[in-house]
């Protein structure tokens, strides 16, 4: 037999022996790996990144650091210590070290600064740092590292409860930056706090905003800009004043650092973050303000660093929208002279959010990530004016772009059919995959097809969204879930959504709309929900269901609804307006908005958007109609929440459960102990998914 025939026969036999791809199930939540934070070395030869995995037996998540050559020929795992996690991999400009943060070997489980010699050997923890290191940036000469360090906890602060490792908060309500909704966390888990062997002491509250999900009750601690001298092995503060500071960026000559801060009389009451500049000196100095816009210039929560031009004369940054619109407003790309002066807006006519500015090597353009109608692309903005030019686009989501030599970029990219991995962008449209953390898992599973959808709302508004159907099934007369996103200032997009896939793997079609109030469609589209949190979003979401029914995909007798955070809120608004759904799941939601005042972390947003309740009671009651008119709700509803949630506290779910229980409506409340707004413990993440499906299945039974 000829060699080619033998090879063909062997390949055929192997293909026949391989198991057929299976539907994605709740157990796959623990099999999915999270890839994030790509970083490129100075020579452009290697890309480091973080990989999150789940230890099912230990019921925890761990994040370790990996590195792949730019040409894709070799991949190396840099850290692997079981039970520990690392984050923020950063190459020194001279190529000798990789710095990272980790709480390993720290009794108080605070994140510390570590150095790993690329020549080999164990990582070394750098001494002399008090507090938790949240962010690190190398100086251009590789002799120092700028750090954002959270103040150490005072001795008299009560110990935090010991809980499962936390993750980044899930999508908040009602006015937070876009975030993944009801999905496994993407970044490093923070290890549990150490229990104190002493008597608890009273918690003294005197701040306007005194709560933060994951942090607990807020005291006097701040996150401050420090510098670490690697020769002296000492840390020193760079700034004076008692303010939070974030997102440090060194000037090309290493003499200055730009950063973001809210340095107003009472930062809790203001959105006024600005860019500041401080000299790298031996003693703390008062920083100089570069911007004075009263809204959010480069806010810390956006994670978008100010970018120095190659010649050090100009800084590119992100300017927020109108102050009164906060997260509803569109963020633009702005330039400000490093010496100070009026900013110049480069994307004023774009009407789309931008972030992550990166200069081209010649200093003639700035590249940004653009959030645009269900996708996220990388585009180039010329300083001379003119239209944006796409560098990487399509039915995908590009995120976390970082510069590489010769104008190249490293990014994470995700699609409806594949989770985020690290990719190299060698030029416009020249995209190569570098990491392959999820390849083996993808070979085992059947990916449900995801299609764009478009429909008209009740008032004629054009609404966009997505339709997911079970893999291998005829797309007709299917039980269908209306699954709502959080925020509301966020969007469903063309990234991989494990929740969609689990629903579809279980046999459900999924309708996910991007109703008004969300981002990606411009400022007016987002602003339409302002002070009217059910308002246009209810008919917009229902239009997606009507469209799926009209196309013969959704069975009108088997419709279900659910969501987490604002997705749960929208669920409440819908079931208080429409009785067609057979079952609902409302996660971490609020219906009695009055109960939110003073009990969660959104006091500033509440007073700006809704006014004080004693002065604008009509607005508060209008937005609270799912509670005050819960007699309209007949849908069997499952409520879910974490008992440590300060984003949307448990009491809100308890109230709705009690109201429906009082009326003998079929209802149940699931409380996850020790959990914040975004569930963290892997067993709870699975439990939530299993219960969610079981609730729908049960109500569907005859």
């Amino acid at each position: 037999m000829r060699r080619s025939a033998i090879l063909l026969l062997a390949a055929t036999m192997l293909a026949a022996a391989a198991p057929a791809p299976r539907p994605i199930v709740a157990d796959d939540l623990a099999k999915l790996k999270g890839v994030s934070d790509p970083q490129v070395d100075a020579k452009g030869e290697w890309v480091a990144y973080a990989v999150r995995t789940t230890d099912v037996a230990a019921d925890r998540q761990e994040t370790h650091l990996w590195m792949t050559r730019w040409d894709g020929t070799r991949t190396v795992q840099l850290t692997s210590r079981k039970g520990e996690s690392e984050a923020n991999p950063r190459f020194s400009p001279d190529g000798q070290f990789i710095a990272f943060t980790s709480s390993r070997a720290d009794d108080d489980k605070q994140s510390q600064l570590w150095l790993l010699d690329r020549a080999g050997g164990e990582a070394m923890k750098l001494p002399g740092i008090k507090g938790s290191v949240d962010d690190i940036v190398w100086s251009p000469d590789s002799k120092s590292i700028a750090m954002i360090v959270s103040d150490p906890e005072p001795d008299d602060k009560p110990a935090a409860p010991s809980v499962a490792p936390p993750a980044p908060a899930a999508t908040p309500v009602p006015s937070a930056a876009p975030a993944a909704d009801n999905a496994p966390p993407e970044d490093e888990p923070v290890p549990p706090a150490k229990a104190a062997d002493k008597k608890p002491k009273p918690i003294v509250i005197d701040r306007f905003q005194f709560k933060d999900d994951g942090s607990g009750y807020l005291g006097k601690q701040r996150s401050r800009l420090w510098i670490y001298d690697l020769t002296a092995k000492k840390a020193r503060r760079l700034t004076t004043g008692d303010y939070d500071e974030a997102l440090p960026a060194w000037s090309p000559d290493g003499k200055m650092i730009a950063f973001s801060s809210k340095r107003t009389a009472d930062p809790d009451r203001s959105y006024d973050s600005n860019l500041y500049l401080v000299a790298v000196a031996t003693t703390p100095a008062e920083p100089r303000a570069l911007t004075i816009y009263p809204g959010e210039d480069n806010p810390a929560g956006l994670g978008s660093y100010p970018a120095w031009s190659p010649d050090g004369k100009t800084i590119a940054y992100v300017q927020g929208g109108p102050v009164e619109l906060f997260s509803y407003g569109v963020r633009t790309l702005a330039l400000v002279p490093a010496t100070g002066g009026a900013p110049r807006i480069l994307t004023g006519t774009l009407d789309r959010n931008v972030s992550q500015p990166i200069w081209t090597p010649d200093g003639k353009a700035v590249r940004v990530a653009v959030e645009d109608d269900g996708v996220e692309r990388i585009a180039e903005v010329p300083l001379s004016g003119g239209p944006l030019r796409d560098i990487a686009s399509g039915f995908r989501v590009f995120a976390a772009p970082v510069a590489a030599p010769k104008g190249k970029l490293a990014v994470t990219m995700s699609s409806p059919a594949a989770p985020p991995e690290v990719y190299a962008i060698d030029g416009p449209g020249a995209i190569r995959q570098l990491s392959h953390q999820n390849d083996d898992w993808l070979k085992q599973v059947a990916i449900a097809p995801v299609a764009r959808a478009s429909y008209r709302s009740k008032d004629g508004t054009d609404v966009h969204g997505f339709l997911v159907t079970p893999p291998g099934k005829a797309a007709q007369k299917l039980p269908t879930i209306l699954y709502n996103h959080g925020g509301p200032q966020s969007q469903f997009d063309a990234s991989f959504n494990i929740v969609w896939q689990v629903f579809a793997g279980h046999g459900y079609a999924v309708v996910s709309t991007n109703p008004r109030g969300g981002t990606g469609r411009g400022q007016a589209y987002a602003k339409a929900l302002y002070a009217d949190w059910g308002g246009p979003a209810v008919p917009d979401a229902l239009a997606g269901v009507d469209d799926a029914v009209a196309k013969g995909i959704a069975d009108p007798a088997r419709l279900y609804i659910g969501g987490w955070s604002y997705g749960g809120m929208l669920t409440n608004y819908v079931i208080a307006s429409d009785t067609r759904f057979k079952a609902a799941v409302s996660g971490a939601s609020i219906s009695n908005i009055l109960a939110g005042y003073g009990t969660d972390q959104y006091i500033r947003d509440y007073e700006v958007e809704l006014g004080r309740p004693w002065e604008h009671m009509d607005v508060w009651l209008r937005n609270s109609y799912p509670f005050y008119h819960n007699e309209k709700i007949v849908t069997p509803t499952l409520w879910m929440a974490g008992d440590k949630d300060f984003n949307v506290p448990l009491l809100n779910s308890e109230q709705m459960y009690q109201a429906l229980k009082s009326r003998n409506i079929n209802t149940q409340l699931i409380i996850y102990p020790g959990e914040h707004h975004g569930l963290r413990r892997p067993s709870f993440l699975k439990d939530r998914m299993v219960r969610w499906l079981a609730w729908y299945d049960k109500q569907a039974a005859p």
Side-chain angles (χ1 to χ4, degrees):
M1 186 179 292
R2 296 177 60 183
R3 177 178 172 82
S4 59
I6 293 174
L7 292 175
L8 178 61
L9 176 62
T12 303
M13 292 175 65
L14 286 172
R22 58 170 178 78
I24 294 176
V25 297
D27 281 333
D28 287 306
L29 292 171
K31 297 176 181 178
L32 187 68
K33 296 179 181 179
V35 180
S36 62
D37 198 10
Q39 298 291 320
V40 185
D41 71 355
K43 293 182 179 179
E45 295 176 348
W46 290 89
V47 182
Y49 48 94
V51 179
R52 187 205 69 248
T53 59
T54 299
D55 185 333
V56 175
D59 201 15
R60 67 181 174 225
Q61 294 177 327
E62 296 176 4
T63 300
H64 295 300
L65 307 182
W66 291 66
M67 188 169 68
T68 297
R69 286 191 64 89
W70 186 263
D71 62 12
T73 58
R74 188 182 176 203
T75 293
V76 179
Q77 184 170 359
L78 296 172
T79 62
S80 58
R81 187 177 298 186
K82 192 172 179 63
E84 303 287 357
S85 288
E86 300 82 28
N88 299 310
R90 301 292 184 264
F91 290 101
S92 61
D94 63 9
Q96 184 177 354
F97 295 103
I98 294 177
F100 62 88
T101 58
S102 176
S103 61
R104 58 161 78 168
D106 188 279
D107 291 338
D108 293 323
K109 293 301 178 186
Q110 296 190 100
S111 190
Q112 294 293 294
L113 177 60
W114 293 71
L115 273 190
L116 180 64
D117 194 322
R118 294 182 68 184
E122 284 290 323
M124 174 182 65
K125 184 177 111 171
L126 297 179
I129 301 173
K130 294 182 179 180
S132 185
V133 181
D134 302 326
D135 194 9
I136 54 175
V137 184
W138 283 93
S139 64
D141 63 6
S142 300
K143 294 180 180 180
S144 303
I145 298 176
M147 309 179 295
I148 299 297
V149 182
S150 294
D151 293 343
E153 300 286 359
D155 292 337
D156 61 348
K157 182 171 181 178
S162 180
V163 298
T171 311
V173 299
S175 51
D181 181 19
N182 197 26
E186 289 297 331
D187 295 320
E188 176 198 10
V190 179
K194 180 183 177 183
D197 296 322
K198 57 185 179 181
K199 294 180 181 179
K201 295 185 179 182
I203 301 172
V204 178
I205 301 295
D206 62 2
R207 290 181 57 167
F208 181 68
Q209 180 188 340
F210 61 91
K211 282 184 171 184
D212 182 70
D213 189 52
S215 301
Y217 291 104
L218 299 177
K220 300 293 187 182
Q221 294 76 36
R222 301 290 185 186
S223 296
R224 308 178 195 272
L225 177 60
W226 289 68
I227 190 168
Y228 195 90
D229 186 320
L230 291 170
T231 302
K233 295 292 191 297
K234 290 183 179 179
R236 66 178 188 274
R237 270 197 70 187
L238 279 187
T239 58
T240 58
D242 194 25
Y243 305 98
D244 287 310
E245 296 153 346
L247 304 171
W250 291 81
S251 61
D253 62 9
K255 295 180 179 180
M256 307 290 288
I257 292 179
F259 65 96
S260 297
S261 184
K262 290 170 63 176
R263 303 175 82 84
T264 61
D266 188 350
D268 286 348
R269 294 178 183 268
S270 173
Y271 297 105
D272 189 14
S273 62
N274 284 290
L275 277 188
Y276 289 84
L277 205 60
V278 64
V280 179
T282 55
T283 57
E286 179 69 16
R288 173 168 57 90
L290 282 179
T291 64
I292 58 173
Y293 177 64
E296 294 185 317
D297 280 336
N298 238 86
L302 185 59
S304 189
Y305 292 82
W308 290 79
S309 61
D311 62 9
K313 295 181 179 180
T314 308
I315 298 175
Y317 68 99
V318 176
Q319 185 181 94
V323 179
E324 67 278 7
L325 294 184
F326 48 99
S327 296
Y328 293 102
V330 164
R331 300 184 298 271
T332 58
L333 173 64
L335 303 179
V336 64
T339 54
R344 181 161 68 98
I345 307 299
L346 289 187
T347 60
T349 61
L350 179 61
D351 201 25
R352 293 290 187 269
N353 285 324
V354 301
S355 63
Q356 313 296 329
I358 297 172
W359 288 82
T360 56
D362 60 9
K364 294 182 179 180
V366 180
R367 292 167 174 173
V368 288
V370 182
E371 183 192 35
D372 189 7
D373 194 11
V375 300
E376 188 157 335
R377 55 194 172 93
I378 307 297
E380 189 171 286
V381 186
L383 266 63
S384 58
L388 277 69
R389 179 179 68 139
D390 280 352
I391 302 299
S393 59
F395 190 45
R396 300 171 288 189
V397 168
F398 294 89
V402 292
K406 300 179 181 179
K408 300 176 181 181
L409 298 171
V411 298
T412 60
M413 191 196 81
S414 177
S415 73
E421 296 282 1
V422 176
Y423 284 74
I425 300 179
D426 294 309
I431 304 164
R432 294 182 294 110
Q433 185 171 349
L434 293 180
S435 73
H436 296 269
Q437 295 289 329
N438 290 289
D439 283 9
D440 290 342
W441 176 74
L442 285 170
K443 293 174 184 176
Q444 303 169 24
V445 297
I447 301 295
V450 177
R452 286 181 180 268
S454 181
Y455 13 80
R456 293 285 179 181
S457 189
K458 187 176 181 179
D459 63 359
T461 297
D462 185 35
V463 180
H464 301 164
F466 298 88
L467 177 64
V468 189
T469 50
K473 276 194 175 184
Q476 55 187 6
K477 290 288 185 179
L478 294 168
T480 300
I481 300 168
L482 172 59
Y483 179 60
N484 303 309
H485 74 63
Q489 300 93 338
S490 65
Q491 64 168 355
F492 279 125
D493 58 31
S495 59
F496 186 79
N497 190 314
I498 187 67
V499 177
W500 284 351
Q501 294 295 328
V502 174
F503 284 153
H506 201 70
Y508 289 91
V510 183
V511 171
S512 283
T513 66
N514 281 325
R516 277 169 284 184
T519 52
R521 294 283 303 281
Q523 188 164 285
Y525 193 86
K527 182 184 175 183
L529 203 71
Y530 192 86
D532 190 10
W533 295 348
V538 170
D540 288 1
L542 290 174
V545 176
D546 293 338
D547 179 72
V549 170
K551 290 176 178 175
I553 297 171
D555 183 348
R558 293 184 294 168
L559 298 177
Y560 309 90
I561 186 173
W564 196 266
S565 194
Y566 178 76
M569 290 175 61
L570 182 52
T571 295
N572 304 345
Y573 286 120
V574 170
I575 61 176
S577 308
D578 194 296
T579 60
R580 75 178 81 176
F581 296 95
K582 300 301 180 185
V585 177
S586 182
S589 69
I590 179 173
S591 289
N592 180 6
I593 311 304
L594 275 169
Y597 187 89
T599 65
D600 63 29
Q601 64 187 30
Y602 291 109
I603 183 61
R604 180 173 58 250
D605 297 351
Y606 281 132
E607 291 202 353
V608 169
E609 186 173 356
L610 304 181
R612 294 168 174 163
W614 56 91
E615 297 171 348
H616 301 276
M617 185 61 71
D618 57 330
V619 179
W620 287 76
L621 291 178
R622 183 175 70 245
N623 282 281
S624 301
Y625 74 75
F627 178 75
Y628 291 105
H629 295 284
N630 77 84
E631 74 278 0
K632 297 181 180 180
I633 298 176
V634 297
T635 305
T637 304
L638 175 66
W639 308 91
M640 294 177 149
D643 70 348
K644 302 301 181 187
D645 190 345
F646 276 5
N647 189 312
V648 189
L650 170 62
L651 72 92
N652 301 293
S653 296
E654 290 175 327
Q655 283 191 325
M656 287 302 292
Y657 165 77
Q658 192 70 71
L660 267 60
K661 197 69 174 177
S662 176
R663 295 177 41 240
N664 291 313
I665 300 298
N666 187 5
T667 188
Q668 193 176 65
L669 173 63
I670 308 299
I671 301 171
Y672 291 103
E675 293 296 303
H676 300 275
H677 192 60
L679 302 191
R680 306 153 181 182
R681 189 182 290 273
S683 60
F684 286 164
L685 289 167
K686 177 183 174 181
D687 181 272
R688 172 175 62 181
M689 201 75 258
V690 170
R691 289 182 187 276
W692 199 309
L693 289 167
W695 185 257
Y696 291 157
D697 292 347
K698 179 182 178 181
Q699 311 311 323

